[in-house]
Amino acid sequence: EGPRKGKLFSVFSPKGGSGATTFAVNLAVAIHQLSRKRTLIVDLDLELGETALLLGMEPRFSAVDLVRNYHRVDEGLLASYIERDKSGVELLSAPYQPADFQSVDGDRIGSILRFLKEQYDYVVIDAPKTLNPVTLNAFEASDQILLLSTADLQSLRNVTRSLPLLKGLAGSRPDDWIRLIVNRYNQDLPITVGEVERTLGMKVYWALRNDYRPVMESINEGRPAVLGKKSIYASDVREMAADLTGINPQPKQKSRLGKLLAGVRE
């Protein structure tokens, strides 16, 4: 088919426990369900990545193996490092044993990601929580950064601390290069979407409603929530995937989200 011009999304949360990995996995599966095109998850949390667990997979190789052999990689060798989930999405996993990110060349990570964009239509990165060279090179290769926060002071504080660096990387990129997502949102929380926007000085792109029990069940089963039908979290992720890709947008669903945001901004 020749080289693709795939689109790469980096999911990043500067606070652990915000649900970034769960979101990255569900977003990738939702994108594949919508597009039926080649979709890859890359787990760049080389120390304690968990995307394989959320998919119920036990990969043989990892992103570190690919980095070490990148000098001789081609489409055939790449396929040996990639695992395919029954959902159709593919995975380049983090290593099972923690790897020292300092031993991984950040520039090589950037080169690998650009190579992967030529092989896949969509690439979703589960980025590390730390702003190390691996993370920064992933951001440089990204078409969009999906900045995930929860509506609590600790998470918002870490997002505030990270924003100057992220905006510095943006350079001349479009304003929507960084998109803010509020995860586990509940209208009864003391911090509203409007307060999040005022605190961070940027608009909330999407609010993912809190849906604890179905999401935790999906994690424990190793089966992403978007493969089911009863989760409002899964419904929100599917709507966002449609908006991000421009594939089969559904105005009625989007208008419901608009009503949700309109009702919680103040």
Side-chain angles (χ1 to χ4, degrees), residues 10 12 107 127 130-145 147 161-175 177-178:
S10 279
F12 172 67
D107 291 336
T130 53
L131 295 167
N132 58 48
V134 169
T135 311
L136 298 181
N137 276 274
F139 290 165
E140 289 283 3
S142 299
D143 294 285
Q144 283 190 335
I145 295 175
L147 179 59
R161 298 163 73 188
S162 304
L163 274 175
L165 188 149
L166 295 177
K167 290 179 178 179
L169 290 174
S172 60
R173 291 181 173 96
D175 292 339
W177 186 61
I178 304 171

Side-chain angles (χ1 to χ4, degrees), residues 40-137:
L40 176 70
I41 307 170
V42 181
D43 192 340
L44 286 184
D45 185 350
L46 305 181
E47 296 173 294
L48 293 169
E50 295 181 336
T51 54
L53 177 68
L54 269 63
L55 288 166
M57 300 172 69
E58 296 182 3
R60 296 167 297 165
F61 300 104
S62 73
V64 173
D65 298 308
L66 179 58
V67 169
R68 290 172 178 164
N69 293 282
Y70 180 64
H71 61 283
R72 59 189 184 91
V73 75
D74 56 20
E75 290 185 46
L77 184 60
L78 174 65
S80 67
Y81 294 114
I82 301 296
E83 300 284 345
R84 184 181 178 89
D85 181 56
K86 54 184 175 291
S87 67
V89 76
E90 297 177 57
L91 171 66
L92 179 58
S93 176
Y96 179 75
Q97 298 292 342
D100 180 6
F101 74 84
Q102 294 180 341
S103 67
V104 177
D105 188 312
D107 291 336
R108 183 165 290 186
I109 287 290
S111 299
I112 288 172
L113 293 176
R114 285 184 283 273
F115 172 71
L116 292 174
K117 287 172 68 173
E118 295 177 354
Q119 311 303 316
Y120 289 85
D121 299 284
Y122 297 99
V123 179
V124 177
I125 295 175
D126 183 20
K129 306 298 182 288
T130 53
L131 295 167
N132 58 48
V134 169
T135 311
L136 298 181
N137 276 274

